[in-house]
């Protein structure tokens, strides 16, 4: 399925994919791994959109993404 | 006397590998050589060339021509020097009255059955038969043969049954049996060097002939893969390149590197004036050791194809026809637009794509363009769509994102795992070296959904073929690791010494869980558990184990996880850090490795240093005199998403065709269409150029200096053999553009005058390249990075005394099913690949005679699936996924399992990527090409999308006649 319906949907899928890999690790390590992965590879525009979703409650995002949110670098507005 | 290019010295027989040395005397000179060397080779080492016809140093000696006779003191007769090994104290003479007489007799016999048309023969000046006639002093032939092979008719005008017409079915070389001396060098080359066994000698004695398999087979219809090894080995004009027949002999040669695949074969480009006469594999090339495949050897005609664009072109909108303009006008237009876009939409609104087909120096300049001129990190490369998971996975586990071995290493391998790769098609020269080792008895495990050519070939067969369901690589690799851990087959000493012990224990506990057992995943992977267990045991305990993998590993939503799994497997079994073992990604394009090394990724500066690191940025900030953004930039899929959103508006794309090579064509097209300035820099008006506003014509690899880095991390020189047909090498075009951009803001321009200066800048800024310079490459031929003060001659094997990151790190690899699932509407799984004669999106190979082997992409369907759908062989079928649909012809074959269909993506008409979705690897966004749920049904012809697409492409390729 083309995921371009709404770009934010695609971000949810991507964040959840990372979460699924990191979930097999101990929780703290998973949080660390997920946040540093997003910090290292997601450009500011994507992180901004991620925070829009997180700030709105993070519907659709896996719990590990929510848990890792405080460690994700918030881009300059 | 002739002043011909000096051929590489032929020592007659291959070098012996023994470490024991033996001394003998040849013509009064003492010679010391390794045990097992032939007398012929020993003489050659002493500078004495014994006359020979059937021996050449690329194949084992055969001893049939009897021209190389010598006398040995105390032995009877005149043994053949090519088949007689040296022994300590032998006294050999290679020339005396008796030997001279014998040799003349031999030559007389050969010549009496050979046409004497030397002056008009295509091999004139390049024929060993001619040379030997001269060498033995043949002055006349005392008798005329009654029966010959070369006369079409006998004296009374009857047809000669021994005469066989020329076979010119192969587009690149001709077989003329009239000139054959039946030395069998070609047959041995096909067996030993290439491993195809296409040629045989049929008949006996006077009747014996070289033949392409069965009598009715021509070169084209036989098993021949057109590698050229036989042509190379043939001493006469019997097997001859058509280009030599057409043009004549070359007058000089330049060593350069093939621009097709990641093997990176070295070639001699043989020239006459500025015309390329032929490409001959270079004997001293360390990747290929004198071998080649059809692409590098013969398929270079695209460089002079009539479709090549030689003038810069611009247009205001993509619905307009192209307008040919001067370089200056094109640069000005492009720079104006890009500056305008940045002024209006911000610094982040433009970016670049570097090419894996261009040189290191060119990739370096393109990423420098975005970092130092556009002032952002929006650079990506087509490696994104193939090997980005390799970078991530090996980086996390070993600490460096490259293959661990050189290709020579395969000669010491005992067990090979080939997973998700089909080197026989994708990396043919490496495959020849691998299958040679397999024929010597090494064991083979193939993990691939399809019964590829790798599974079984002449005189070898995989011990295990794990034909898994597409998308279950992680489950299979983890199951193998489970067996190794639970059965205690791991190399504990290695793990304790070399790896992080805590991480290992964590991993061992994880992988030992029952849900990783082969029996537990069998339902999912469809691989019988017993096979997985047997394969795991073989790999763990079978001696030196090496893993080679390709895009069938990386192009999955769990691509990075599989790479990690492979690294875990190598560490578990202690297969790292010595010859014959290792983890080896087989790179698709010639310079995928190089473009990654050169900082093409948006988060990494050259040498894999993250842009967040202040000290890494500082190095470049000092040299470039700018400040570098510390945030990662946009990857290709992000660029396209941002374009559709309206925040990304301008792209400079060098030597890539993202519209054809990237997944979900419709999404790519939508992204490109939303941009205000797309600059395509390529040899041809590729598919992406349908959406471009500026076209910079590119130069071919024959027209520029530079370096490519192959899959072994080997930096090979690319040398200019002719002037760029459109005026500038690609690095010069990027520089012109950078200077046009800088000119708009009054910045200082770039002033490189030769690519060696770019390499010097790379060496200055990038530790693993610190020791690389054109000078060093000139002396050493090639070097494998890291090349620095500690390893001035480069590093053939990585992680020898310890991992680059210190201790090897085991990482958990949980299997996560892809979101791409089959269901009632799309019940089949499509997987994609490539074939030997075509390359990538085919832009080059489609413009050569290689199309005789592959005129269109076909869909392989299992007989069961075909039958229930009423599809027969050769019929048009409609292939549909959630993303789109296309049509192509079906091939019914059991190479694929039921439920799986397979196609290639070499032809734009097929548009296989209309079908693929935009699911991607979790870590790197490498697209999931290898798994798409599809349906297949009968059809009458091209789909609506294909027709619309063809119309749009036609429309956008119009070029206005140049204004006077
Ligand atoms: S071209 Fe290669 S495959 Fe074909 S016959 Fe010659 S050696 Fe064999
Ligand atoms: S074709 Fe050439 S190499 Fe082969 S047997 Fe004849 S002369 Fe020798
Ligand atoms: S194996 Fe690859 S590098 Fe070598 S000649 Fe063929 S395409 Fe070129
Ligand atoms: S070269 Fe030795 S027998 Fe032919």
């Amino acid at each position: 399925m083309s995921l371009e319906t709404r770009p934010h949907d695609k971000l949810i899928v991507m964040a959840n994919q990372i979460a699924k890999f990191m979930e097999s690790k101990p929780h703290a390590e998973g949080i660390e791994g997920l946040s540093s992965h997003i910090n290292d590879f997601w450009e500011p525009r994507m992180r901004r959109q991620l925070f829009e979703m997180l700030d709105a409650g993070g519907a659709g995002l896996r719990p590990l993404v929510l848990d890792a949110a405080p460690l994700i670098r918030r881009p300059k507005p | 006397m002739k002043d011909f290019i000096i051929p590489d010295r032929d020592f007659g027989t291959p070098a012996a590998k023994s470490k024991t040395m033996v001394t003998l005397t040849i013509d009064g000179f003492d010679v010391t050589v390794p045990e097992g060397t032939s007398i012929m080779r020993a003489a050659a080492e002493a500078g004495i060339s014994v006359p020979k016809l059937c021996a050449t140093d690329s194949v084992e000696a055969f001893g049939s021509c009897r021209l190389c006779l010598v006398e040995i003191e105390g032995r009877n007769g005149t043994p053949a020097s090519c088949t007689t090994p040296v022994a300590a104290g032998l006294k050999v003479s290679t020339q005396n009255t008796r030997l001279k007489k014998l040799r003349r007799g031999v030559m007389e016999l050969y010549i009496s059955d050979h046409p004497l048309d030397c002056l008009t023969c295509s091999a004139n000046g390049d024929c060993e038969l001619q040379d030997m006639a001269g060498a033995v002093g043949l002055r006349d032939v005392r008798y005329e043969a009654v029966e010959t092979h070369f006369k079409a008719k006998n004296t009374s005008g009857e047809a000669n049954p021994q005469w066989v017409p020329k076979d010119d079915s192969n587009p690149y070389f001709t077989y003329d049996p009239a000139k054959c001396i039946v030395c069998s060098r070609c047959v041995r080359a096909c067996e030993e060097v290439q491993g195809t066994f296409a040629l045989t000698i049929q008949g006996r004695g006077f009747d014996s002939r070289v033949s392409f398999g069965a009598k009715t087979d021509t070169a084209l219809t036989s098993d021949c893969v057109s590698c050229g090894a036989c042509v190379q080995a043939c001493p006469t004009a019997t097997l001859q390149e058509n280009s030599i027949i057409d043009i004549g002999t070359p007058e000089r040669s330049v060593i350069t590197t093939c621009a097709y695949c990641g093997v990176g074969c070295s070639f001699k480009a043989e020239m006459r004036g500025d015309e390329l006469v032929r490409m001959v594999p270079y004997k001293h090339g360390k990747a290929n050791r004198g071998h080649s495949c059809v692409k590098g050897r013969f398929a270079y005609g695209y460089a002079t194809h009539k479709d090549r664009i030689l003038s810069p072109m611009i247009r205001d909108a993509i619905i307009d026809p192209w307008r040919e303009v001067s370089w200056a006008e094109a640069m000005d237009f492009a720079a104006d637009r890009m500056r305008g876009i940045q002024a209006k939409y911000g610094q982040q609104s433009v970016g670049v794509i570097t090419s894996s087909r261009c040189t290191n120096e060119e990739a370096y300049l393109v990423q420098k363009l975005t970092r130092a001129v556009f002032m952002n990190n929006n650079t990506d490369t087509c490696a994104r769509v193939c090997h980005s998971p390799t970078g991530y996975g090996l980086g996390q586990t070993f600490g460096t994102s490259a293959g661990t071995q050189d290709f020579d290493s395969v000669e010491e391998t005992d067990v090979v795992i080939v997973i998700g790769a089909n080197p026989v098609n994708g990396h043919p020269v490496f495959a020849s070296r691998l299958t040679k080792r397999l024929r010597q008895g090494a064991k083979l495990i193939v993990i691939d959904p399809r019964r590829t050519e790798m599974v079984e070939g002449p005189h070898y067969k995989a011990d295990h073929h794990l034909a898994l369901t597409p998308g279950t690589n992680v489950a299979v690799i983890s199951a193998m690791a489970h067996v190794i851990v639970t059965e205690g087959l791991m190399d504990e000493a290695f793990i304790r010494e070399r790896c992080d012990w805590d991480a290992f224990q964590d991993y061992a506990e994880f992988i030992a869980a029952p849900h990783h057992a082969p029996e537990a995943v069998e339902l999912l992977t469809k691989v019988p558990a017993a096979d997985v267990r047997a394969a795991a045991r073989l790999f763990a305990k079978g001696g030196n184990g090496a893993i080679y993998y390709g895009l069938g590993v990386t192009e999955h939503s769990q691509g990075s996880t599989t790479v990690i799994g492979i690294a875990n497997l190598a560490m578990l079994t202690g297969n790292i850090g010595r010859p014959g073992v290792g983890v080896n990604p087989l790179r698709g394009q010639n310079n995928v490795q190089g473009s990654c090394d050169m900082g093409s990724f948006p988060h990494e500066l050259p040498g894999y240093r993250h842009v967040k690191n202040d000290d890494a940025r500082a190095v470049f900030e000092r040299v470039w005199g700018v400040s570098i953004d510390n945030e990662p930039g946009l990857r290709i899929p992000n660029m396209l998403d941002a374009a559709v959103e309206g925040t990304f508006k301008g792209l400079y794309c060098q030597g890539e065709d993202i519209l054809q090579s990237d997944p979900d064509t419709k999404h790519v097209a939508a992204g490109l269409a939303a941009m205000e300035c797309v600059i395509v820099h390529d040899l041809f008006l590729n598919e992406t150029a349908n959406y471009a506003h500026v076209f910079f014509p590119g130069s071919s690899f024959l027209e520029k200096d530079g370096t490519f880095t192959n899959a072994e991390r080997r930096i090979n020189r690319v040398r200019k053999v002719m002037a760029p047909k459109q005026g500038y090498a690609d690095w010069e075009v990027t520089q012109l553009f950078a200077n046009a951009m800088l000119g708009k803001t009054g910045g200082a321009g770039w002033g490189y005058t030769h690519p060696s200066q770019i390499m010097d800048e790379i060496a200055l800024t990038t530790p693993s390249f610190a020791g690389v310079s054109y000078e060093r490459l000139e002396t050493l031929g090639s070097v494998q990075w890291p090349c620095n003060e500690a390893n001035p001659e480069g590093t053939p094997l990585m992680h020898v005394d310890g991992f680059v990151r210190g201790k090897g790190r085991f990482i958990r690899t949980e299997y996560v099913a892809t979101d791409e699932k089959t269901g009632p509407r799309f019940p089949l799984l499509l997987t994609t690949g490539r074939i030997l004669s075509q390359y990538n999106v085919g832009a080059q190979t489609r413009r050569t005679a290689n199309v005789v082997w592959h005129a269109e992409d076909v869909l392989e369907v299992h007989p069961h699936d075909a039958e229930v759908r009423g599809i027969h062989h050769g019929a048009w079928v409609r292939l549909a996924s959630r993303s789109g649909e296309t049509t192509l012809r079906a091939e019914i074959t059991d190479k694929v399992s039921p439920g799986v269909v397979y196609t290639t993506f070499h032809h734009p008409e097929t548009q296989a990527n209309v079908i693929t979705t935009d699911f991607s690897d979790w870590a790197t966004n490498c697209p999931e090409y290898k798994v798409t749920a599809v349906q297949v049904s009968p059809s009458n012809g091209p789909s609506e999308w294909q027709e619309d697409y063809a119309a749009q492409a036609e429309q956008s390729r119009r070029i206005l006649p140049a204004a006077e």
Side-chain angles (χ1 to χ4, degrees):
Chain A
M1 176 174 28
S2 182
L3 295 169
E4 80 199 37
T5 25
R6 275 174 308 157
H8 289 27
D9 286 356
K10 198 157 159 177
L11 289 188
I12 295 178
V13 171
M14 287 167 59
N16 286 348
Q17 265 184 304
I18 302 170
K20 282 185 200 160
F21 178 81
M22 299 295 171
E23 279 161 16
S24 69
K25 301 178 182 243
H27 192 65
E29 221 182 286
I31 287 179
E32 214 292 306
L34 187 139
S35 57
S36 63
H37 191 90
I38 288 185
N39 286 335
D40 281 357
F41 296 101
W42 286 28
E43 33 99 14
R45 183 190 58 98
M46 291 167 75
R47 299 205 311 274
R48 199 169 299 126
Q49 293 172 349
L50 179 68
F51 273 108
E52 279 168 28
M53 290 185 290
L54 285 169
D55 294 347
L61 291 165
R62 294 177 81 85
L64 192 69
V65 184
L66 306 184
D67 294 351
L71 293 179
I72 299 176
R73 210 165 58 244
R74 197 178 271 270
K76 285 169 236 132
Chain B
M1 292 273 92
K2 68 183 178 185
D3 185 12
F4 196 63
I5 44 175
I6 311 275
D8 286 312
R9 186 103 192 276
D10 184 350
F11 287 84
T13 62
K17 289 220 169 92
S18 173
K19 300 251 179 307
T20 318
M21 301 303 278
V22 169
T23 301
L24 71 165
T25 313
I26 300 178
D27 293 342
F29 296 100
D30 280 351
V31 190
T32 305
V33 291
E35 193 170 26
T37 303
S38 70
I39 289 181
M40 175 179 280
R41 190 174 175 106
E45 307 252 354
I48 299 165
S49 302
V50 182
K52 65 178 184 60
L53 278 172
C54 69
T56 186
D57 59 11
S58 62
V59 294
E60 295 300 328
F62 187 59
S64 68
C65 75
R66 309 283 306 154
L67 195 66
C68 66
L69 310 176
V70 291
E71 275 183 2
I72 301 173
E73 207 176 282
R75 288 199 196 173
N76 287 334
T78 50
S81 62
C82 64
T83 49
T84 310
V86 294
L90 289 188
K91 290 197 165 36
V92 178
S93 26
T94 71
Q95 180 83 338
N96 61 32
T97 319
R98 176 181 176 211
L99 292 172
K100 283 196 278 191
K101 185 147 172 265
L102 284 169
R103 288 196 190 121
R104 269 188 207 172
V106 170
M107 278 311 290
E108 236 174 332
L109 267 177
Y110 273 114
I111 299 300
S112 66
D113 189 9
H114 197 86
L116 292 181
D117 58 1
C118 286
L119 282 184
T120 52
C121 177
S122 60
N124 188 12
D126 188 15
C127 171
E128 293 181 36
L129 189 67
Q130 209 177 42
D131 294 349
M132 287 307 115
V136 305
L138 186 71
R139 294 295 167 253
D140 62 327
V141 177
R142 287 163 297 171
Y143 47 89
E144 194 178 340
V146 188
E147 276 191 287
T148 73
H149 292 98
F150 69 89
K151 290 184 185 145
K153 298 206 161 89
N154 66 17
T155 35
S156 27
E158 289 157 9
N160 172 6
Q162 291 292 352
W163 181 80
V164 181
K166 282 185 194 171
D167 178 346
D168 55 8
S169 60
N170 183 297
Y172 297 121
F173 63 82
T174 299
Y175 169 50
D176 180 1
K179 295 192 166 157
C180 182
I181 58 171
V182 203
C183 64
S184 88
R185 274 159 66 158
C186 54
V187 177
R188 284 174 284 149
C190 191
E191 293 178 4
E192 294 172 29
V193 179
Q194 164 58 24
T196 294
F197 293 72
L199 294 171
T200 52
I201 302 272
Q202 296 212 322
R204 279 160 184 281
F206 188 72
D207 289 334
S208 52
R209 307 310 288 255
V210 170
S211 128
F212 285 91
K215 226 185 176 113
T216 48
D217 275 339
T218 62
L220 192 63
T221 57
S222 71
D223 291 339
C224 168
V225 294
S226 197
C227 70
C230 57
V231 180
Q232 186 67 6
C234 182
T236 64
T238 314
L239 285 163
Q240 184 73 283
E241 294 93 350
N242 289 347
S243 60
I244 292 279
I245 298 175
D246 290 345
I247 303 170
T249 45
E251 43 89 22
R252 69 195 160 95
S253 74
V254 182
I255 311 294
T256 189
T257 304
C258 176
Y260 275 114
C261 87
V263 178
C265 296
S266 298
F267 278 88
K268 287 199 295 182
E270 297 194 342
M271 309 293 298
R272 177 159 288 279
D274 73 345
E275 184 169 31
L276 179 59
V277 179
R278 67 176 166 189
M279 294 285 277
V280 180
Y282 182 47
K283 218 159 114 174
H284 307 293
K286 294 197 181 100
N288 56 320
R289 306 274 176 205
H291 191 34
S292 65
C293 85
V294 58
K295 293 189 283 280
R297 178 81 152 92
F298 295 117
Y300 48 79
Y302 69 86
T304 48
H305 192 276
K306 61 171 175 35
D307 286 355
R308 204 174 141 188
I309 304 288
L310 299 176
S311 166
M313 302 191 297
I314 59 173
R315 58 182 169 189
D316 280 320
I318 60 169
I319 50 165
D320 297 336
W322 284 108
R323 202 152 54 80
E324 294 188 348
V325 294
S326 67
W327 278 106
E329 189 176 346
M331 291 298 162
D332 202 49
F333 180 91
D336 258 344
R337 282 221 165 178
M338 289 300 225
R339 279 289 177 220
I341 289 171
Q342 282 194 301
K344 190 159 160 205
Y345 301 98
Q347 198 160 297
Q348 297 294 333
S349 60
V350 298
V352 299
I353 295 177
T354 72
S355 176
S356 303
R357 303 209 308 253
C358 289
T359 63
N360 287 321
E361 292 76 3
E362 286 161 347
Y364 178 88
L365 284 197
V366 173
Q367 61 88 34
K368 176 172 174 178
L369 173 72
T370 211
R371 297 204 155 103
V373 179
F374 295 171
M375 305 300 290
N376 60 42
N377 285 314
N378 297 334
T379 170
D380 208 354
T381 170
C382 102
R384 168 71 54 212
V385 303
C386 58
H387 265 294
S388 49
T390 292
Y392 181 81
L394 297 185
Q396 293 286 313
T397 48
F398 296 165
T400 180
S401 47
T404 61
Q405 312 296 110
D406 57 6
F407 288 139
D408 286 350
S409 159
V410 75
E411 290 170 14
E412 294 177 50
T413 295
D414 302 310
V415 189
V416 186
I417 296 183
V418 176
I419 166 166
N422 187 5
V424 174
N425 282 351
H427 302 85
V429 165
F430 169 69
S432 290
R433 303 186 67 177
L434 170 61
T435 53
K436 185 169 188 168
R437 182 68 193 150
L438 295 175
R439 287 195 302 276
Q440 292 166 355
K443 300 276 188 266
L444 173 65
I445 299 163
V446 175
I447 306 178
D448 201 296
R450 192 168 156 262
R451 199 178 69 239
T452 63
E453 290 76 358
M454 195 65 234
V455 175
E456 193 174 352
H459 306 282
Y460 75 84
K461 188 170 189 297
D463 299 87
H464 302 282
H465 173 205
L466 312 183
L468 74 185
T469 303
T472 60
N473 286 333
V474 171
V476 171
I477 293 288
S478 293
M480 288 179 70
H482 171 91
V483 173
I484 292 171
V485 169
T486 55
E487 296 188 6
L489 305 174
M490 60 272 190
D491 183 343
E492 197 182 315
F494 176 92
I495 301 170
R496 279 191 185 276
E497 190 196 325
R498 304 285 305 273
C499 304
D500 180 333
W501 185 250
D502 289 343
F504 166 71
Q505 281 178 315
D506 172 72
Y507 174 76
E509 182 197 319
F510 161 83
I511 205 76
H515 71 279
H516 293 298
E519 293 71 17
V521 294
E522 180 170 337
L523 218 61
L524 182 79
T525 63
K526 305 254 173 64
V527 185
D531 282 0
V532 176
R533 285 197 180 268
R537 289 172 193 144
L538 175 62
F539 187 69
K541 290 291 166 202
N544 283 343
I547 307 177
Y548 292 87
Y549 71 89
L551 305 184
V553 159
T554 52
E555 290 176 348
H556 284 285
S557 56
Q558 275 202 292
S560 293
T561 317
T562 311
V563 174
I564 292 170
I566 287 172
N568 287 340
L569 210 54
M571 289 189 290
L572 272 181
T573 52
N575 279 313
I576 287 287
R578 61 179 191 277
V581 301
V583 173
N584 305 277
L586 292 169
R587 307 274 175 173
Q589 309 204 49
N590 52 320
N591 202 34
V592 174
Q593 181 70 53
S595 68
C596 297
D597 301 343
M598 291 298 106
S600 295
F601 287 134
H603 63 285
E604 274 169 350
L605 292 159
Y608 304 99
R609 286 165 295 166
H610 202 284
V611 292
K612 72 181 174 193
N613 297 330
D614 295 341
D615 43 348
R617 281 201 324 281
V619 173
F620 290 92
E621 289 178 338
R622 190 164 38 78
V623 177
W624 294 347
V626 295
S627 85
I628 297 172
D629 191 354
N630 65 355
E631 283 279 12
L634 279 71
R635 302 178 273 196
I636 294 173
N638 311 145
M639 291 180 190
L640 295 165
D641 293 344
V644 172
E645 267 171 49
T647 55
F648 188 83
K649 291 288 188 183
L651 178 67
Y652 170 45
C653 179
Q654 181 178 70
E656 290 298 342
D657 194 359
I658 55 169
L659 185 58
Q660 205 192 344
S661 62
D662 283 39
D664 197 355
T665 308
K666 288 180 181 177
H667 182 63
V668 180
L672 288 169
M675 295 184 201
E676 292 177 8
C677 183
V678 175
I679 305 171
V680 167
H681 181 178
D682 206 301
L683 294 175
F684 303 104
L685 273 179
N686 61 19
E687 306 301 310
T688 307
N690 297 343
Y691 292 88
H693 308 84
V694 180
F695 187 86
F696 294 156
S699 52
S700 80
F701 76 112
L702 298 166
E703 297 164 8
K704 56 196 180 191
D705 281 303
T707 54
F708 291 152
T709 308
N710 76 354
E712 319 161 278
R713 297 168 276 108
R714 184 183 301 287
I715 306 164
N716 272 315
R717 268 302 306 275
V718 176
R719 291 188 177 84
K720 180 171 164 179
V721 301
M722 57 179 78
K725 299 209 177 301
Q726 79 322 0
Y728 293 106
D730 293 332
W731 62 269
E732 294 176 288
V733 174
T734 305
Q735 170 160 300
L736 283 173
F737 179 52
N739 286 342
M741 290 288 293
L742 292 167
K744 301 276 166 205
T745 54
W750 297 356
Y752 304 103
T753 56
H754 191 271
S756 62
Q757 298 160 343
I758 306 174
M759 183 52 85
D760 292 343
E761 186 174 313
I762 298 167
L764 180 72
T765 51
T766 309
S768 50
F769 279 70
V772 182
S773 68
Y774 278 31
E775 241 176 353
R776 172 123 347 143
L777 290 170
E778 213 58 56
T779 353
L780 297 178
S782 65
V783 11
Q784 288 173 271
W785 67 256
C787 172
N788 44 32
E789 220 167 299
N791 309 285
E793 309 229 317
T795 313
L797 299 177
M798 298 278 271
H799 317 299
V800 174
D801 302 315
F803 284 97
V804 169
R805 70 179 298 281
K807 295 274 184 192
R809 173 158 153 241
F810 285 90
I811 299 177
R812 294 183 173 207
T813 51
E814 190 72 74
Y815 169 73
V816 179
T818 165
D819 291 326
E820 184 68 14
K821 292 196 177 67
T822 54
R825 280 179 63 212
F826 302 107
L828 302 172
L829 283 178
L830 168 76
T831 182
T832 57
R834 56 194 60 192
I835 60 149
L836 167 69
S837 56
Q838 303 293 320
Y839 170 76
N840 196 264
V841 296
Q844 291 128 306
T845 44
R846 274 186 288 116
R847 291 183 172 92
T848 68
N850 278 23
V851 290
V852 304
W853 287 281
H854 184 75
E856 60 183 339
D857 295 320
V858 297
L859 184 73
E860 291 185 0
V861 187
H862 189 273
H864 290 314
D865 294 324
E867 199 184 315
V868 297
R869 288 172 176 76
I871 292 165
H872 52 89
H873 200 79
W876 281 99
V877 292
R878 172 177 169 272
L879 174 67
S881 75
R882 280 166 259 243
S883 286
E885 62 175 75
T886 187
T887 54
L888 67 176
R889 283 182 203 277
E891 179 177 321
I892 315 298
T893 169
D894 65 356
K895 276 188 212 156
V896 289
S897 307
V900 177
V901 293
Y902 167 88
T903 190
T904 49
F905 57 99
H906 298 299
H907 292 266
E909 298 79 39
T910 326
Q911 290 286 347
N913 284 333
V914 174
I915 306 302
T916 52
T917 65
D918 61 1
F919 286 127
S920 62
D921 174 49
W922 65 269
T924 65
N925 279 162
C926 178
E928 185 166 51
Y929 281 131
K930 299 291 178 180
V931 196
T932 311
V934 294
Q935 178 59 295
V936 176
S937 53
S939 149
N940 318 325
S943 70
E944 208 177 300
W945 158 260
Q946 278 167 301
E947 281 173 1
D948 289 353
Y949 183 88
Q952 196 273 346
E954 176 96 3
Q955 173 81 9
S956 74
R957 287 210 177 99
R958 288 168 306 150
I959 300 175
L960 280 185
E964 285 305 311

